[in-house]
Amino acid sequence: MPNAATISKGILKPHFEIKGLSNLSGDVEVSGAKNSALVLMTASLLTEEVISLNNVPELTDIKGMGEILLAMGVELRQSPSSLELCAKNLKNSEPPYELVNGLRASFFCIGPLLGKLGQAKIPLPGGCRIGARPVIEHIKGLKALGAIVTVEHGVVSASVPGTAKKLRGSAIVLDCPSVGATETILMAAVLASGKTTIENAAQEPEVQDLANMLNKMGASISGAGGPTITINGVEKLNGCSYNVIPDRIEAGTFLIAAAITRSTLRIKSVFPDHLSSVLQKLRDCGCAIEIDEDSITIIPGDINGVDITTQPFPGFPTDLQAPFMALLATAKGTSVVTEKIYENRMQHVAELQRMGASIRVQGNSAVIEGIPQLSAAPVTGGDLRSTAAMVLAGLAAKGTSKVEGLNHLDRGYAELEVKLNSVGGQIQRLP
Ligand code: EPZ
């Protein structure tokens, strides 16, 4: 029963209570990648046969995407960490507004619906706290493939003219290496007539994972993972069974959890080459890194400040900027963190300052003067990755911290506290 003091403070929000000065040790298992599983789920719209996805993380975003696909008539069978999807009896190409509005990734449906049915109507994904998140490149790519695309009253309507309802291959050059635009164009082009090339394509592992699954379904894609992707349109795609790649951002979060608590951890079921830039920065700031085929062991030394600039893959990932800043707040010396991907991804600075961090923000850069120890405080994460950053800071701080923002956290981390507690964390999830 909440006490009077808590009630008097207003609505009780679900939060973590984290006992600081944690020493972690042992092995942590990484789940499947959220940012791959979400787009692979929408690729099931491209075939009438069954797609079986394995190593699917159990996250609220995955559940949300499932509800959207169900509402369109996709048959869905869920079991722990796997999903069976079949779009044979697709009812419509307009997912309900109330479901789509809460999940930006639902916009991934537009490419396959257009490629398969020749029409789609998807609400324009709004911006979020980290930035405007436009979909200009996605729409430009679909138009280049011959679609008619209009945006009215917050809804993107796309259709393929002519009786054949078939898109036609095209040479596309992206203004920026957008992950979502690359994936949208890939899924629209696989059933188009003729050849499509995407230049200045996003090179993230999740793009490569999508191309690999589409090829397993019978597509003809080459160059994914590099700056130029070529797609030769095919008549039909078949079902397949596919394993989602490990979540490199979750893996990086655990590596930083080890570094910030000066603990040795082994991160298992991970692809080390998906984290090269992060591993290099961890080495630069004083950690020893041992790599096996699918695991990484981190042994922190004295942590010194380093400079970080977020870049498209293979550069330092923007999704680990906030967690890494929590580490740098406890490093010796000065660090400069520059966010080049999003225009507003520094909200975690104010929360770290509440824990005693010495950080000065100048535009899209933050100058961090490391301090020997953070002090526990009640803090709130404003988005998925800043909440993760606050959890890491809480593990290292002196005292017990209260971290709110679990609604964000649960979108991208499967039972983060359970995994951290299994290696010595002392985190309580309270309603
Ligand atoms: C994906 O978002 C990820 N989400 C994001 O992860 C990740 O931060 C991002 O890629 C970059 O790696 C999913 O895959 C579901 P973008 P996406 O299009 O596709 C600008 C997380 O925490 N841009 O590559 O939306 C855009 O504004 C989330 O897991 C344009 O300017 O990313 C942004 O500044 C957060 N015009 C930058 O590019 C466009 O037309 C990167 O966007 C499209 C994008």
Side-chain angles (χ1 to χ4, degrees):
M1 217 9 218
N3 61 35
T6 311
I7 294 173
S8 68
K9 280 192 201 121
I11 301 163
L12 199 67
K13 287 200 183 100
H15 62 280
F16 281 161
E17 273 197 2
I18 305 177
K19 199 166 173 315
L21 304 179
S22 297
N23 283 312
L24 309 178
S25 66
D27 294 351
V28 191
E29 198 84 24
V30 173
S31 302
K34 162 181 88 84
N35 290 348
S36 183
L38 286 170
V39 69
L40 297 180
M41 287 171 75
T42 62
S44 66
L45 295 166
L46 286 163
T47 178
E48 295 184 358
E49 296 177 16
V50 175
I51 295 287
S52 298
L53 290 181
N54 311 304
N55 198 30
V56 177
E58 296 185 43
L59 303 167
T60 51
D61 270 11
I62 298 292
K63 191 167 167 299
M65 182 63 86
E67 285 162 5
I68 289 166
L69 294 172
L70 266 172
M72 290 198 288
V74 172
E75 288 153 43
L76 207 65
R77 257 220 299 280
Q78 198 143 6
S79 51
S81 83
S82 65
L83 259 182
E84 273 195 6
L85 306 104
C86 181
K88 188 169 59 179
N89 302 316
L90 204 55
K91 279 195 316 259
N92 67 58
S93 56
E94 297 179 33
Y97 190 90
E98 65 282 358
L99 291 179
V100 165
N101 210 23
L103 178 62
R104 296 192 82 266
S106 52
F107 198 67
F108 282 138
C109 295
I110 196 165
L113 286 172
L114 203 55
K116 185 76 172 58
L117 301 179
Q119 62 179 32
K121 223 175 207 178
I122 313 269
L124 195 60
C128 67
R129 295 188 62 158
I130 61 178
R133 321 266 317 254
V135 287
I136 301 159
E137 295 303 304
H138 310 55
I139 292 172
K140 268 171 53 182
L142 295 176
K143 285 182 173 173
L145 293 170
I148 296 169
V149 186
T150 57
V151 183
E152 277 172 349
H153 314 302
V155 176
V156 181
S157 301
S159 61
V160 184
T163 47
K165 292 269 176 221
K166 222 165 161 57
L167 292 167
R168 63 173 190 281
S170 172
I172 295 165
V173 183
L174 294 178
D175 278 359
C176 65
S178 158
V179 173
T182 303
E183 293 169 338
T184 295
I185 296 165
L186 257 181
M187 292 193 285
V190 284
L191 293 173
S193 53
K195 179 170 113 170
T196 296
T197 53
I198 308 171
E199 290 186 75
N200 197 22
Q203 304 180 42
E204 273 68 7
E206 294 75 28
V207 171
Q208 219 169 342
D209 212 24
L210 173 62
N212 290 340
M213 188 178 92
L214 291 171
N215 280 340
K216 201 169 176 187
M217 292 166 68
S220 169
I221 302 167
S222 58
T228 301
I229 303 177
T230 302
I231 306 108
N232 293 303
V234 295
E235 276 306 306
K236 176 178 175 296
L237 292 181
N238 311 309
C240 78
S241 174
Y242 193 78
N243 295 333
V244 179
I245 54 171
D247 194 315
R248 61 193 169 100
I249 304 301
E250 185 193 18
T253 305
F254 289 130
L255 287 164
I256 300 167
I260 200 170
T261 57
R262 310 310 189 254
S263 311
T264 293
L265 277 184
R266 181 167 65 159
I267 318 300
K268 297 177 66 181
S269 308
V270 61
F271 289 173
D273 59 357
H274 287 173
L275 283 153
S276 306
S277 58
V278 180
L279 296 176
Q280 189 51 56
K281 285 298 174 183
L282 287 166
R283 288 191 190 97
D284 292 350
C285 70
C287 300
I289 303 284
E290 291 166 7
I291 291 178
D292 288 327
E293 197 180 311
D294 69 345
S295 72
I296 301 171
T297 301
I298 177 167
I299 306 117
D302 279 347
I303 300 292
N304 302 300
V306 292
D307 295 345
I308 302 267
T309 300
T310 61
Q311 302 282 358
F313 193 87
F316 191 93
T318 175
D319 295 344
L320 284 174
Q321 182 257 102
F324 212 98
M325 189 186 289
L327 170 62
L328 296 175
T330 70
K332 283 189 187 125
T334 305
S335 307
V336 179
V337 172
T338 304
E339 173 57 56
K340 290 275 203 190
I341 303 295
Y342 290 108
E343 58 268 33
N344 188 29
R345 201 168 206 177
M346 290 283 176
Q347 290 135 52
H348 44 285
V349 169
E351 299 306 301
L352 288 169
Q353 287 168 335
R354 288 163 60 80
M355 300 178 83
S358 170
I359 306 175
R360 203 174 61 254
V361 176
Q362 288 163 330
N364 65 348
S365 283
V367 180
I368 301 123
E369 302 297 342
I371 60 170
Q373 196 151 67
L374 293 170
S375 58
V379 287
T380 303
D383 67 84
L384 165 53
R385 307 304 173 181
S386 58
T387 309
M390 300 329 295
V391 173
L392 302 189
L395 287 172
K398 186 167 183 220
T400 299
S401 298
K402 179 181 157 190
V403 177
E404 288 188 5
L406 304 193
N407 55 317
H408 301 300
L409 194 75
D410 294 342
R411 290 186 44 222
Y413 292 92
E415 297 191 314
L416 182 64
E417 78 277 17
V418 173
K419 292 188 178 184
L420 288 171
N421 287 345
S422 72
V423 287
Q426 298 178 76
I427 304 173
Q428 247 197 318
R429 181 185 282 254
L430 299 171

